[in-house]
Amino acid sequence: MAQYALVIDLNTCVGCHACATNCKEWNTQAAFGPLSDYDPYGRHPSGVWYNRIMSYEIGEFPNTQVFHLPKSCLHCQDAPCVPVCPTGASYKREQDGIVLVNYDDCIGCKLCSWSCPYGCREYDEADKVMKKCTLCIDRVYDETLPPEHRKPACVLTCPARARFFGDIEDPESEVFKAIEERNGFVLFPDMGTNPGNHYLARTETKINLEEFEKHILKPDNPLFLEVMKRHHVSNKSAETTVEEVG
Amino acid sequence: MHPPISLIVFFLTAGTSIGLFIFTYFIEFLTLFGKGSGLPKEVVLVSGIISLVLIGIGAFAASFHLGHKLRAWKAIKRFRTSWLSREAVFSGAYGFTLLIYLFLMYYEINPFFEHFFGILTFIIGILSGFSTAMIYATNKFVLEWNTSLTVLYYLDMYLMLGSALFTIMSLYYGLPYTGTFVFLTFLFVALGFGFRLAFNIRQFYLKRPTLNEALNLPHNRTIRVLDTGSTTENYCTTEFYYRKGKELLSTTLPISYLLTFIVPLILILYAWITGTVNLYIFWTVYLSLLVGSAVERWTFFVEGNHVQNLFYGLYPEEGYKLRKGFMERKETRISLYN
């Protein structure tokens, strides 16, 4: 059975929030919107977001690393939010595994959000229904769009190309290969939810600064003159300041 | 978890309603086997009408928990999988069968149908309470609730409220069951005390997940939350973490114990020992139980920690902390060299 999902590369995600912003922009005016805002220009702005980006620091000072975790609905294969829904408004599509909410049936009891260990469902106080990531189903199946644009808004907008979309059960898909080759992992594996969205692990990147300096300060480097010029100008301005103070 | 007032009102009204009916009908049921003398028709009717009104108030109050009240009927659709759906069906059916029972009772149409609907209401009432408790007990993401103690305690609370009110009715109408119900009230309050204590003690020994487990990282890595993506509160931080409630928990927990268990137990013991079983004492017992249960339910919600709080750094780390240095589980390290 097909399972559409996102694969997010934590190695390249820079935590710029572009995915969350574009998600909000697209979905607030598309088929599953709006994503209501409360007090948007006041002191305590808040609202409904399908996608939130968390930042974590790992390790102990000075050996620390920061990574960003974009978290939207994981479209679990054993979604615990679906069976608890008393009206059947929350459902998982058989053809592509996307978990959706039928706003016309939702009574706003919030029980599905209590049954999500990831906190990926948000209650819309204005519409009085539960809302969640739809994997931009209205884009994915929109035949009026060019084929390369039939992807979720967050995937298309990611400037670091950290997000991939596809069928994680299809061995030919880009996401299946990414998960296989780079040991894709899921959040909260012990909860028995079997999430669709996967993350690609962050690998430690080391830059040898000595090598870098040697290269950049070589006279045959086309940037050499520019580097020296900037260095000269900054030194000169520093001297001028000292003279003025003196 | 954020405590919804509407659900607390539902608990109190539905609890008293179902509890009261269980005892009222049970006495009637015993007459089928020639045990006891049953209840006067007036008592059954008054008790039944109180139960009916209370379940009506409860259903009305519970609807305030819903975003779309007029769609509430749709909650019958997923009876097969959802405990909330089962609760809605059983609560509705309880009110309906109770109404029929009272109608048959009032007009004395047919004793077979009267008892048939009485037994049906009795069973559906228990199933309704059981389904409500199961909504909390089956939520494996709130570890404090995910235990059979939640169900046992919940049903015991129904019987506690019901027996206390039935004792008042027994005293008011001068029924021969006062002694039995004084004992039953004492028994259910004492049992509830035991279940609630076990519920709280269990929280010390919970194996809580960590942020490392949530993020699927090795357990030996130090990790901390830097930023949660928004500068203000959002649905996840307000619904699953009630900051004000957590601050008040160290006050409300002792109050709930005092009003729900200690005061009623002492009053019943006093009445028992001195033989002063009167309406004043049992109205005080019932009101203390009612207020105490309201505070206790509020505390029950606030005590629940949802695992999604891990992502926001709002999940308790180890053990059960009420207040710094007070009722705090301390890790003892034993070393040979220090």
Side-chain angles (χ1 to χ4, degrees):
Chain A
M1 201 175 80
Q3 173 64 59
Y4 280 9
L6 296 171
V7 172
I8 299 159
D9 188 352
L10 298 185
N11 212 32
T12 44
C13 175
V14 290
C16 66
H17 292 239
C19 52
T21 315
N22 202 31
C23 164
K24 178 111 173 158
E25 190 275 332
W26 169 259
N27 282 299
T28 213
Q29 47 93 37
F32 286 84
L35 304 188
S36 306
D37 284 323
Y38 325 121
D39 194 19
Y41 303 106
R43 288 177 68 83
H44 299 287
S46 64
V48 182
W49 293 75
Y50 287 170
N51 189 8
R52 289 184 186 273
I53 289 89
M54 315 274 165
S55 300
Y56 299 101
E57 185 186 66
I58 191 163
E60 283 191 41
F61 183 81
N63 301 314
T64 56
Q65 286 217 358
V66 172
F67 71 93
H68 309 283
L69 183 93
K71 186 164 66 71
S72 56
C73 173
L74 306 167
H75 298 277
C76 303
Q77 302 196 42
D78 299 311
C81 53
V82 172
V84 298
C85 177
T87 64
S90 187
Y91 64 102
K92 188 169 175 69
R93 283 161 58 95
E94 278 189 16
Q95 60 268 46
D96 49 25
I98 298 176
V99 178
L100 291 178
V101 179
N102 180 353
Y103 297 162
D104 292 335
D105 279 352
C106 179
I107 54 172
C109 66
K110 302 178 186 171
L111 191 59
C112 54
S113 69
W114 290 13
S115 302
C116 172
Y118 307 104
C120 290
R121 284 174 165 254
E122 300 204 5
Y123 182 69
D124 191 325
E125 293 287 350
D127 284 356
K128 309 279 182 199
V129 290
M130 195 54 74
K131 294 189 174 174
K132 64 176 285 299
C133 163
T134 63
L135 269 183
C136 287
I137 194 165
D138 46 349
R139 289 190 69 95
V140 172
Y141 290 104
D142 188 352
E143 291 183 358
T144 59
L145 291 173
E148 67 273 17
H149 282 198
R150 290 179 205 164
K151 285 179 181 177
C154 57
V155 175
L156 290 171
T157 199
C158 181
R161 293 273 184 273
R163 300 172 78 93
F164 307 96
F165 167 75
D167 179 5
I168 58 161
E169 296 288 328
D170 176 12
E172 297 302 314
S173 70
E174 182 189 21
V175 285
F176 183 91
K177 285 173 187 162
I179 294 167
E180 285 288 298
E181 286 164 13
R182 296 185 52 194
N183 292 329
F185 68 92
V186 294
L187 300 181
F188 253 141
D190 301 341
M191 290 293 169
T193 54
N194 204 358
N197 283 12
H198 280 65
Y199 292 87
L200 302 179
R202 187 172 162 77
T203 50
E204 209 170 312
T205 314
K206 284 184 180 167
I207 303 169
N208 192 334
L209 278 177
E210 281 183 21
E211 281 296 313
F212 177 73
E213 280 174 6
K214 270 183 201 170
H215 174 71
I216 203 135
L217 295 176
K218 266 184 189 171
D220 57 345
N221 178 7
L223 293 173
F224 177 73
L225 271 178
E226 196 179 332
V227 172
M228 291 309 288
K229 198 173 148 190
R230 283 192 184 178
H231 184 69
H232 178 70
V233 170
S234 61
N235 280 352
K236 199 178 173 185
S237 61
E239 279 173 18
T240 317
T241 322
V242 173
E243 277 174 15
E244 277 175 6
V245 172
Chain B
M1 303 291 283
H2 199 287
I5 303 300
S6 50
L7 296 188
I8 295 173
V9 175
F10 175 76
F11 168 79
L12 296 174
T13 51
T16 309
S17 165
I18 294 169
L20 185 63
F21 183 79
I22 283 174
F23 293 115
T24 309
Y25 184 70
F26 191 67
I27 292 171
E28 288 288 287
F29 182 70
L30 287 178
T31 58
L32 289 177
F33 304 96
K35 306 277 181 196
S37 53
L39 289 169
K41 188 177 166 185
E42 186 196 351
V43 177
V44 180
L45 281 173
V46 169
S47 159
I49 289 166
I50 292 173
S51 291
L52 197 63
V53 170
L54 283 177
I55 195 74
I57 295 171
F60 181 71
S63 73
F64 282 91
H65 180 61
L66 305 178
H68 287 278
K69 296 176 189 62
L70 294 177
R71 292 181 195 166
W73 66 271
K74 290 187 178 180
I76 59 171
K77 282 176 157 180
R78 280 289 179 95
F79 185 83
R80 202 169 50 84
T81 61
S82 169
W83 281 108
L84 181 57
S85 177
R86 288 167 197 165
E87 183 214 15
V89 170
F90 287 132
S91 303
Y94 166 76
F96 184 67
T97 51
L98 178 59
L99 184 68
I100 295 174
Y101 171 74
L102 290 177
F103 180 79
L104 293 169
M105 176 81 194
Y106 184 74
Y107 290 104
E108 293 178 6
I109 294 170
N110 184 327
F112 170 76
F113 285 114
E114 191 187 306
H115 281 285
F116 175 76
F117 277 98
I119 294 167
L120 206 62
T121 314
F122 183 92
I123 294 169
I124 291 174
I126 293 171
L127 285 175
S128 164
F130 181 74
S131 305
T132 315
M134 283 301 276
I135 295 171
Y136 306 106
T138 53
N139 192 335
K140 59 181 177 178
F141 308 121
V142 184
L143 298 180
E144 288 82 359
W145 300 353
N146 187 20
T147 162
S148 47
L149 278 172
T150 306
V151 181
L152 288 173
Y153 178 66
Y154 209 92
L155 292 176
D156 183 75
M157 293 275 275
Y158 274 27
L159 297 176
M160 203 162 90
L161 289 165
S163 59
L165 194 59
F166 195 87
T167 313
I168 293 170
M169 289 197 66
S170 180
L171 279 168
Y172 187 77
Y173 287 101
L175 302 173
Y177 305 107
T178 309
T180 314
F181 276 88
V182 169
F183 168 72
L184 283 177
T185 312
F186 184 83
L187 178 74
F188 292 128
V189 175
L191 269 176
F193 190 27
F195 287 141
R196 192 63 166 91
L197 267 180
F199 181 80
N200 275 110
I201 291 167
R202 181 181 166 271
Q203 292 180 28
F204 286 94
Y205 300 99
L206 280 177
K207 166 82 182 69
R208 293 183 186 279
T210 58
L211 182 55
N212 296 50
E213 279 173 53
L215 299 175
N216 206 344
L217 286 168
H219 288 260
N220 57 356
R221 300 278 179 92
T222 316
I223 187 157
R224 71 185 180 100
V225 182
L226 279 187
D227 185 55
T228 56
S230 59
T231 49
T232 54
E233 299 284 332
N234 61 50
Y235 174 73
C236 294
T237 55
T238 51
E239 178 71 10
F240 300 114
Y241 188 82
Y242 186 38
R243 199 176 298 274
K244 208 172 164 185
K246 289 280 181 197
E247 286 163 10
L248 287 171
L249 196 59
S250 54
T251 314
T252 56
L253 191 61
I255 289 175
S256 71
Y257 268 98
L258 193 72
L259 292 179
T260 323
F261 309 115
I262 312 290
V263 171
L265 283 176
I266 289 173
L267 283 174
I268 297 169
L269 271 178
Y270 173 80
W272 225 349
I273 293 166
T274 57
T276 49
V277 180
N278 59 37
L279 271 173
Y280 297 112
I281 287 186
F282 276 87
W283 266 118
T284 319
V285 167
Y286 179 69
L287 289 177
S288 175
L289 274 177
L290 203 66
V291 177
S293 302
V295 181
E296 190 281 327
R297 278 297 96 185
W298 188 92
T299 310
F300 170 83
F301 278 104
V302 177
E303 278 178 310
N305 290 294
H306 199 283
V307 293
Q308 78 90 35
N309 288 345
L310 280 167
F311 294 103
Y312 290 89
L314 297 172
Y315 198 73
E317 285 172 9
E318 272 287 316
Y320 184 73
K321 287 174 188 170
L322 266 178
R323 195 192 294 163
K324 194 76 184 158
F326 175 71
M327 269 186 83
E328 188 180 17
R329 181 182 158 205
K330 293 197 173 71
E331 301 258 317
T332 313
R333 286 188 186 155
I334 300 168
S335 170
L336 285 174
Y337 305 105
N338 289 323

